[in-house]
Amino acid sequence: MITIVKRLLTNSNCFNSGRRITPSGMQLHTIGTAQNSAASLASYWDQPGIDACVHYCVDAEHEGRVLQFLPENYRSWADQGVGNASAITVELMESDYMRYTGGASYTVTNETKFKADVTRAYKTAVELFAQKCLEHGWDPQARRPDGLHYVFSHDEGRRAGLSSAHVDPTHIWNRYGWTMDGFRADVKAMMQEIKTGKQTIADQKTTPATPASGIPASKEEFISVVAAICADLWPDLQILPSVVIAQCCLETGYGLGSDAQELVKRNNLLGMKAELINSTWSTFSVWSGESFVKRTPEVYGGKTIYINDSFRVYKDYRNCIEDYEQFLRNVRNNAGYKYRSVVGMTDPEKVITAISKGGYATDPGYITKVMAIIRKENLTRFDPTEGGKAAVATEKKYYRVGTGWKDGKCTGQIGAYEKLVNAKNACAIAGYGKYKVYNPDGTVAWPAAGTTTAQKAVRWALAIAADNSHGYNNTKGKRLGNPDYACSSFVAGAWRAAGVDVAADAYTAKMKTDFTKHGFKDISDKVDLRTGAGMKCGDVVLRPGVHVEMVTGAKHKLVGARGNATGGAENGKAGDQTGGEIAVIPWWDDGWTICLRYAEPKKTAAASAAKTTYVVQAGAYKANTNSEKMLVRVKSIVPDAYIVRDGDLYRIQAGAYTVKANATKRAEELKAAGISAIVKTK
């Protein structure tokens, strides 16, 4: 069975554009980048400036997992044509075990794991499409008036001249002989299976599922079932499990309370009323609309009174808990989001205090009662925090992505992940430099701490790779990072940012000569150029006249600029449109012939004390938006200038030099252009 979690991308330009459609079919896409986690894509797309969004995203890491990004009547930004205008669009995640080499071409780094990822996505997509076709009354094998099937792909839209020029999913499915005709047949078969072997979609909306529905067999079963649901929803909705479990226990007497049995029989574990404040959150609700009336106590002015009120009926426990968590995430009042502060919060007392003070409960003792249950039942063991090691997600150790770590908690948290690779991807997408990945014990899992020149170069490269305002361009005058790079200027820019004065406008044919003049050694005979064995962080792998990349140090992964969406020198649009123009990928053999390694200058005690680095600084700002505006001006003179976060300030660094005269000359160039610049020593 698939699980659809509403994760509406309310910060995206697409969601906020407000355009509506009446769907008349479904269009299938694959993401076009080496990523299998739908949650990571949600984090990336849920921000202004991203020009892509679909209705549903199918996870490739976990079979049966689907995230909903848009309501079905919203116009998506998926194919610039018929898909946007008339279809429910569905994105299938691909795999961590591949790399794009340009356009739709790619290589696979682990065939078994790659196939497992794309197969999981395929199977989940079959069931999703079957459910939606049943809901809307579409025959996937029938044709629409425009000639396309009611279930069609981006590639089929392209070939009909009705969609943009992408070939998904053909470039992935061809590898295993899968076709859209075969997919449509599988969807049709699944529709029949749902109708005859499981339930009709209409039945599923009104018939509770088991065992997570109705009166539980015991208090222990109730906690176990509710905890599993809360833990499963945490990565996507980020509402702390211990608090929601305790609320369910309190509201229903552990599902066994006689006063609450009318609610529990209808799977309403949280006293969710039919009419909740501010209807704007209804877009996010997963409630079907069914309700019933019951007598209920309310506390006003310190007095308990009884009123008749309407309460929601849910199909099962999960439906109720997800609806409540969507309510906390999305309900608004005149001041903005009413409870949004609790999203990602990991302190139970702070969470329930914010919920109670926001007006969710009228009982003045609500906070005390919820906290008493959390302590009595040790419910924090279900939380994705240090010590949360029992039972359900309970044994899972989460890697958390945030801005810091304080008092045993991840601060500024934006996600928690079971796999380190997914946490790294989410961190890179959200903004390497601002965010880090933390181990369950609070130590930094990524990026590794370090102060070597090579580590500085790699960190700069990772930051650029995570910032999709930078893409690939190999046209003269447009390849120096304002905002795009070619493969060679990207690697050169990383080392220049680390203080090594290699040529900025480097070309692969001349890189070895230039780099060896600035402290690099040719170590090609000491490493395996085919597998990457023996290579270290910062090593430069080169095929002169063809391509160059840099080793990140993480299992020989590579970071580099490697072609735009069209595969040509430029595609007429600045920035990274595919997520793979500048990116981190697993090791691959591109026929490398040279490996260069930077040799840190040996320092005697006297030389170390005497050596000074002169940094050209072109402004320091409290707001990153201001620093980014100034950076555009600075880059017109210093293409490889970049922003450094220093405490609460964002500093623009326009070069680091060992010779003061060179730094002074650069500062004067900036001043001549009306840009304030100073030379600082460090």
Side-chain angles (χ1 to χ4, degrees), residues 115-172:
K115 187 173 184 180
D117 280 341
V118 297
T119 300
R120 277 190 289 267
Y122 183 97
K123 289 180 178 179
T124 302
V126 166
E127 189 166 353
L128 173 65
F129 275 70
Q131 285 199 11
K132 293 302 167 185
C133 284
L134 283 169
E135 286 180 13
H136 291 275
W138 297 324
D139 179 349
Q141 295 175 315
R143 291 188 182 271
R144 310 186 325 167
D146 60 9
L148 293 171
H149 292 89
Y150 280 91
V151 169
F152 65 98
S153 71
H154 196 164
D155 187 27
E156 288 177 322
R158 174 190 68 85
R159 286 187 274 118
L162 300 173
S163 297
S164 52
H166 287 202
V167 297
D168 50 315
T170 306
H171 69 303
I172 298 292

Side-chain angles (χ1 to χ4, degrees), residues 125-126 129-130 133 140 151 182-192:
V126 166
F129 275 70
C133 284
V151 169
F183 178 75
R184 283 185 281 265
D186 288 344
V187 171
K188 190 71 171 283
M190 178 58 71
M191 292 169 68
Q192 187 64 23

